[in-house]
Amino acid sequence: MKKKNYIFFVVLLTVTIFSQINSPTHNTPKNSDRLLLQSEHYIQLPDELYNKVMSGKLIEKISAKKYKFKKGEITQSESQGKVVIYFDHEPQEDQKQVLSDMGVSCYWDTWTPSMENHPYGFVLAEIPVNKLQNTLSLNFVKKMETAEYETQPQNNNGNQNIRAPEVWNTGYDGSGIKVGVLDSGLDSFYKGTDLAKSISSF
């Protein structure tokens, strides 16, 4: 595997795992952030900062946590927003200290530098809900996105959803290819027809 592809895979895996922390699958838990807010409860940012917001999901997630914290429905530690912060270069020590002093917890071991087709590097972080504007206002912070996307299980429809049968119909059958799957587990007694003929476990 080429180095760039490997780095991308590790980054994608890291972001996916981070975004699944306390993320619902089958049922929406009691403390879910899925909350219909009145417009006045959404965080309002100065116009010049909106170009740093990568999607409305960031505003939605942080606003919901801020509202629930204000109502006393969640604790201060539960009100931290899980985000991805983008920079044009790895922050220097004084910049890291500024973030730390604001209460922004960056996981610097997840730092991923910019690549050929992506101008910004990024790091996973947690920010206090009342520090969104302050963090976005920092000149060295270029973009921010939520790391709390919710996903639903696809069960046995995964191969149809990724259109695998269309590939199989062209003659590709996976011969000579090994695929490693990082997963929470597979029931050893499952005998479904959608599994490969041979599966190696560790």
Side-chain angles (χ1 to χ4, degrees):
M1 183 182 291
K2 292 183 179 179
K3 185 176 181 181
K4 287 184 178 179
N5 291 338
Y6 175 76
I7 292 174
F8 175 76
F9 172 75
V10 171
V11 169
L12 179 61
L13 179 63
T14 302
V15 172
T16 301
I17 292 173
F18 190 80
S19 69
Q20 298 311 306
I21 299 174
N22 294 325
S23 181
T25 52
H26 295 287
N27 298 306
T28 303
K30 182 179 179 181
N31 289 331
S32 171
D33 290 338
R34 299 184 70 178
L35 179 67
L36 184 60
L37 296 177
Q38 298 294 324
S39 59
E40 62 267 21
H41 296 305
Y42 278 94
I43 294 173
Q44 301 296 318
L45 297 173
D47 291 343
E48 64 271 16
L49 294 182
Y50 277 105
N51 67 338
K52 292 187 175 185
V53 176
M54 296 187 70
S55 79
K57 282 288 184 182
L58 174 65
I59 303 297
E60 176 187 351
K61 294 290 185 180
I62 300 294
S63 296
K65 288 192 174 186
K66 185 174 183 179
Y67 176 79
K68 294 175 78 172
F69 177 60
K70 184 177 180 180
K71 298 278 286 184
E73 297 177 7
I74 58 176
T75 65
Q76 184 170 0
S77 61
E78 292 172 326
S79 71
Q80 300 287 309
K82 297 177 178 67
V83 299
V84 184
I85 304 178
Y86 293 82
F87 310 88
D88 57 6
H89 61 275
E90 184 173 6
Q92 299 173 357
E93 291 305 316
D94 60 330
Q95 295 172 326
K96 291 180 180 181
Q97 190 60 52
V98 169
L99 289 166
S100 179
D101 291 344
M102 290 172 55
V104 178
S105 300
C106 294
Y107 300 95
W108 295 112
D109 56 335
T110 67
W111 166 252
T112 304
S114 60
M115 299 178 69
E116 182 179 349
N117 295 321
H118 199 291
Y120 299 129
F122 64 87
V123 69
L124 302 178
E126 292 186 77
I127 67 171
V129 291
N130 61 343
K131 295 295 183 180
L132 177 64
Q133 180 171 331
N134 303 66
T135 307
L136 287 171
S137 296
L138 297 171
N139 290 333
F140 58 90
V141 171
K142 301 304 179 183
K143 299 281 184 181
M144 190 185 298
E145 174 62 297
T146 181
E148 298 184 43
Y149 280 101
E150 296 179 357
T151 59
Q152 299 295 326
Q154 299 299 312
N155 296 329
N156 295 331
N157 298 321
N159 59 5
Q160 285 85 8
N161 290 340
I162 65 172
R163 302 170 68 179
E166 295 179 26
V167 177
W168 297 335
N169 289 336
T170 64
Y172 291 98
D173 60 5
S175 298
I177 302 298
K178 293 183 179 180
V179 177
V181 178
L182 219 58
D183 193 89
S184 59
L186 176 67
D187 294 326
S188 59
F189 55 81
Y190 180 68
K191 303 298 181 183
T193 58
D194 55 332
L195 295 180
K197 293 180 181 179
S198 62
I199 297 178
S200 298
S201 60
F202 300 90

